[in-house]
Amino acid sequence: MPPVTPLLRPGQFFTERDPDAGHALVLILLHLISVPLAVWGVGQVLKARVDGTVMVDNPNRPSEQFCEHAAASMDVGCDAPAQIERNIDAILADAIGQLIGPALLGVGIVFVLVGGALHVGAWVFNGENGVGTSFAVAMWGLLPSLVGLVVGVAVLFVVLDPLTVTTSDDPAVMAEWIQAEMAPLLTWQPLFTGATTLWSAIIWRSGLVHSQGLDNGSATLTAGTLAVLFWIVSLV
């Protein structure tokens, strides 16, 4: 028999436990930690699959317009090459680092919207507990998304073929390669996202029934509506 967890036996899990604001806070921290780890994982996959060097603009050289019009006494740095050679790993590391902040912001917005939507549903149908319980149920229901992240990174590692870029390549080569390699995954994305969202809906419904005291119909309507909206937004 599978262990009593919200992922495998949500009904019994919420029957035996009373999720509250403390649980919600712990789960929020867990989700927030997972975001930079997932972004880092994608970066490691790309660094493992892409190798070589490319030419980039020299950050230590003034703009071409400045060098063309500056007086001879002011052209400091204009004798430096306009472009320099840089390892692709360093470029990927910089790009991945810039994604962490927006990713955390996006996840924070998801937390507020999902938790708020579940609590509105619980309030409309006369739920028994407060907002802390609703947010805890919401966070438990987002655990399938974490599973999806792990599976997605693993699949990305498997499907990406190695690529070597050189200084003579157009920078667009790597972007085109990524688009071509990702095409099969994007084809299956709606189905994969739909499966994890359905999993989340089952957890949300169980939490609403056993922790907020909603009847089966009201809980199904609330969780199902949220799941459909969540799935549609995930495809944008």
Side-chain angles (χ1 to χ4, degrees):
M1 182 176 293
V4 180
T5 71
L7 291 174
L8 300 178
R9 299 168 69 187
Q12 185 172 347
F13 176 85
F14 288 114
T15 299
E16 298 177 353
R17 294 167 179 80
D18 294 321
D20 54 24
H23 293 161
L25 179 59
V26 172
L27 290 167
I28 287 173
L29 292 176
L30 174 64
H31 284 290
L32 289 177
I33 292 172
S34 72
V35 171
L37 288 178
V39 174
W40 175 83
V42 172
Q44 293 303 305
V45 169
L46 292 176
K47 289 169 68 175
R49 287 293 187 253
V50 185
D51 189 28
T53 57
V54 294
M55 300 300 293
V56 299
D57 291 338
N58 187 351
N60 297 319
R61 185 181 189 276
S63 68
E64 193 65 33
Q65 183 178 5
F66 173 85
C67 291
E68 288 178 356
H69 298 92
S73 60
M74 298 175 56
D75 63 351
V76 178
C78 289
D79 55 345
Q83 291 190 317
I84 58 174
E85 189 174 332
R86 195 176 183 200
N87 191 287
I88 194 65
D89 285 354
I91 296 176
L92 289 173
D94 291 344
I96 293 299
Q98 294 174 6
L99 289 175
I100 292 178
L104 287 172
L105 177 61
V107 169
I109 294 173
V110 169
F111 291 165
V112 173
L113 293 179
V114 172
L118 281 186
H119 189 63
V120 168
W123 175 75
V124 168
F125 294 112
N126 300 314
E128 298 174 353
N129 293 300
V131 65
T133 298
S134 297
F135 267 81
V137 170
M139 295 304 103
W140 281 120
L142 288 175
L143 285 181
S145 297
L146 295 187
V147 177
L149 283 176
V150 174
V151 173
V153 172
V155 171
L156 189 65
F157 181 81
V158 172
V159 302
L160 290 185
D161 293 324
L163 172 70
T164 299
V165 293
T166 65
T167 54
S168 60
D169 287 330
D170 188 312
V173 168
M174 190 173 71
E176 294 174 356
W177 169 79
I178 292 177
Q179 291 177 356
E181 294 291 319
M182 292 289 289
L185 293 179
L186 294 177
T187 301
W188 290 95
Q189 180 193 4
L191 181 61
F192 179 73
T193 306
T196 57
T197 304
L198 177 61
W199 194 358
S200 293
I202 293 172
I203 297 173
W204 289 330
R205 179 190 178 280
S206 296
L208 290 173
V209 170
H210 298 287
S211 297
Q212 283 288 16
L214 270 64
D215 61 74
N216 290 329
S218 300
T220 300
L221 177 62
T222 302
T225 302
L226 176 58
V228 171
L229 293 175
F230 188 83
W231 179 69
I232 292 174
V233 172
S234 70
L235 299 180
V236 176

